Amino acid sequence: MTRPEYDVAIVGASIAGCTAATLFARGGLRVALLESRADPNAYKRVCTHFIQASATPTIERLGVAQAIEAAGGIRNGIDIWTRWGWIRREGNGGGRYPGYGYNIRRETLDPMLRRLAASTPGVDLLPGHVAERLFVDGGRIVGVGARRGDETTRDVNARLVVAADGRQSRIAELALVPPRVKAHNRFGYFAYYRGMSLRSGTKSQMWFLEPDIAYTFPNDGGLTLLACMPTKDKLAGFKANVETAFELMFRRLPEGPSLAHAERASGFLGMVEMPNLSRRPTLPGLAFIGDAALATDPLWGVGCGWAFQSAEWLVDCVGDALATDQLLDRGLARYARRHHAALAAHDFLICDYATGRPYNALERLLYSAAARDPAAARHFQEFGARNISVGQFLSPRALARALWVNAGHWWRSRRPKPTGRAAQRA
Ligand SMILES: Cc1cc2nc3c(=O)[nH]c(=O)nc-3n(C[C@H](O)[C@H](O)[C@H](O)COP(=O)(O)OP(=O)(O)OC[C@H]3O[C@@H](n4cnc5c(N)ncnc54)[C@H](O)[C@@H]3O)c2cc1C
């Protein structure tokens, strides 16, 4: 068998693609990294930039944590408002799990990751190459064909093709891998503000307004991104005057930001259709990572973190397994299992809440306890940061603690209030 030109051909040089390219090449593999956009500073515009703590080990393994902080990226955490009060996690780290992720604008992050990949020996970055064909041999994907400009084409043969080309994955279309689609009943708008001070300091904030959601995300460059995700029944009214509707929403927030003391630094960006998409993560000779494998509701800010992590899982599962088709297939099966084990249950819950439905009984129990008890708050925050699985989040111990916290709260609220001298002593 003749050796193909590359070990791995990756389509898409954004978070997932650059992470995979860098880590594969560090393992000694030859990597072609194709990116449709020619500008090395291109970046994803529709993102609110909150990278969950679950991705911090991958970011550290890549060696970009320092560069992110030097570029003004913020170690993040988030205060969450619910009808029961704020869910706050005290401190940043020191526990079993990474205590913080990062807030960094994609305008800063994407070119940084692309430079990292391009400067890694073994990676050939091919900007301005639009993948538009797949080569198949004996039922396996064995390469990808790209168009550069109107005239030139480039064929890249590789042992493994990786689709890191985002939620609309062209590679999935070419490979006849349709997405499973689950409806999303919210739309989103956001804008950047300069000079905004938040009661949470540099922590982000999220308001569960049942069913609408609002956020503040401090970022690099002295910019704070404000975002909201109302349910779609409000879309027509919102669109009639976006500025007024947006600002009204933030003025009404409990302990919300003061728009009067900040300057809006961008127009409003809107996203109306954001269906939840998932795809089987492998075929013979092909793997999907990042949004191409799973693109869920941005309400929870998990996509960037999972793009980093799924790229790392793929490299760890197949990086040493490219010698024969058989080994590669086993590696791909390991990756598919790992992806499923880590993300399928999270995806299920996220899609369920994306319908805009009211809280269910378990959510009422756990959210209310988290607003009342520091340990329950920490548990809730570990789940939001995707540091723990759905099984751990709903463990009997966590449910028992939440019941105990809420029973104590109920009992205290029923106790007669002290009056007279007793009240003075209290
Ligand atoms: C409104 C909104 C807000 C969000 N906010 C957050 C957030 O706060 N936190 C968070 O974690 N996630 C957020 N996300 C999700 C996050 O943006 C994505 O999960 C993340 O960008 C996925 O990274 P990726 O590398 O898989 O794909 P992408 O970033 O989509 O990159 C795909 C790359 O592939 C390239 N490409 C596409 N087709 C081809 C082709 N045919 N040939 C060559 N190249 C191609 C593209 O140019 C691009 O560079 C948000 C999403 C939305 C919609």
Side-chain angles (χ1 to χ4, degrees):
M1 188 173 60
T2 54
R3 198 169 176 218
E5 187 186 0
Y6 289 99
D7 296 304
V8 187
I10 300 174
V11 178
S14 180
I15 295 178
C18 291
T19 301
T22 304
L23 297 179
F24 271 131
R26 283 186 193 162
L29 300 180
R30 296 157 305 144
V31 181
L33 178 57
L34 293 83
E35 168 54 49
S36 56
R37 291 171 300 176
D39 179 1
N41 293 319
Y43 62 94
K44 187 166 190 276
R45 284 166 196 275
V46 185
C47 190
T48 53
H49 322 302
F50 188 96
I51 304 175
Q52 297 293 351
S54 64
T56 298
T58 315
I59 290 173
E60 286 173 351
R61 177 170 168 188
L62 282 172
V64 287
Q66 269 188 345
I68 287 176
E69 292 186 23
I74 292 171
R75 290 185 180 195
N76 65 21
I78 190 160
D79 289 350
I80 299 170
W81 186 88
T82 67
R83 67 168 113 147
W84 300 280
W86 286 95
I87 303 176
R88 293 192 172 102
R89 180 193 162 126
E90 300 310 329
N92 242 1
R96 265 176 79 188
Y97 304 105
Y100 56 86
Y102 286 101
N103 282 11
I104 179 155
R105 285 173 305 147
R106 300 292 296 270
E107 185 173 353
T108 313
L109 179 69
D110 291 10
M112 185 189 291
L113 293 175
R114 212 168 288 126
R115 280 195 300 275
L116 175 75
S119 65
T120 305
V123 176
D124 285 343
L125 174 64
L126 304 174
H129 285 67
V130 185
E132 56 180 22
R133 274 173 306 141
L134 281 178
F135 304 126
V136 183
D137 185 16
R140 303 186 69 78
I141 312 280
V142 292
V144 58
R147 173 177 46 80
R148 189 177 184 196
D150 286 340
E151 306 273 312
T152 331
T153 56
R154 170 90 190 250
D155 295 346
V156 179
N157 298 314
R159 307 265 315 132
L160 172 67
V161 173
V162 178
D165 52 345
R167 58 160 47 232
Q168 304 297 352
S169 180
R170 175 82 177 118
I171 296 297
E173 256 177 60
L174 295 169
L176 305 179
V177 178
R180 282 178 294 272
V181 183
K182 291 192 186 162
H184 189 297
N185 191 30
R186 292 185 177 85
F187 62 96
Y189 272 92
F190 64 86
Y192 295 88
Y193 289 78
R194 197 178 296 287
M196 177 161 279
S197 74
L198 304 176
R199 289 178 195 227
S200 56
T202 58
K203 270 191 180 176
S204 301
Q205 295 164 299
M206 178 179 191
W207 285 262
F208 276 91
L209 302 169
E210 299 181 51
D212 302 341
I213 309 284
Y215 315 81
T216 59
F217 296 113
N219 264 285
D220 58 301
L223 293 168
T224 299
L225 187 151
L226 267 54
C228 64
M229 291 184 67
T231 44
K232 279 190 180 158
D233 51 313
K234 305 176 189 84
L235 180 60
F238 206 97
K239 273 181 139 176
N241 191 335
V242 171
E243 182 170 3
T244 306
F246 189 89
E247 293 187 352
L248 195 61
M249 183 148 192
F250 279 88
R251 287 214 177 88
R252 286 183 179 157
L253 292 178
E255 299 180 44
S258 165
L259 300 188
H261 295 98
E263 174 204 350
R264 182 153 60 80
S266 74
F268 292 98
L269 261 117
M271 188 86 182
V272 174
E273 293 304 332
M274 300 175 277
N276 298 286
L277 306 178
S278 60
R279 298 184 174 90
R280 58 178 293 185
T282 61
L283 282 183
L286 175 66
F288 294 91
I289 56 177
D291 271 14
L294 179 63
T296 58
D297 189 351
L299 188 149
W300 301 96
V302 292
C304 296
W306 289 353
F308 277 111
Q309 291 173 265
S310 57
E312 182 180 31
W313 299 333
L314 177 68
V315 173
D316 289 346
C317 290
V318 307
D320 291 334
L322 285 153
T324 67
D325 290 350
Q326 219 178 15
L327 278 176
L328 177 55
D329 288 346
R330 273 195 231 133
L332 287 171
R334 273 196 300 278
Y335 167 65
R337 283 196 298 274
R338 185 155 182 190
H339 194 279
H340 183 84
L343 304 186
H346 283 292
D347 176 40
F348 175 82
L349 288 193
I350 287 173
C351 291
D352 187 36
Y353 195 67
T355 56
R357 62 158 175 75
Y359 289 141
N360 61 34
L362 275 180
E363 287 160 348
R364 283 197 301 276
L365 172 68
L366 290 161
Y367 290 30
S368 56
R372 292 169 179 152
D373 173 57
R378 214 165 31 250
H379 186 70
F380 183 90
Q381 294 267 2
E382 296 300 5
F383 175 68
R386 308 297 151 174
N387 280 332
I388 61 173
S389 67
V390 172
Q392 287 168 300
F393 181 52
L394 300 177
S395 69
R397 194 170 160 195
L399 296 178
R401 176 153 194 123
L403 281 169
W404 178 77
V405 166
N406 283 340
H409 175 80
W410 179 82
W411 186 76
R412 281 190 298 280
S413 69
R414 303 262 305 180
R415 250 190 337 196
K417 299 262 176 302
T419 51
R421 282 209 188 133
Q424 279 167 13
R425 274 204 304 276

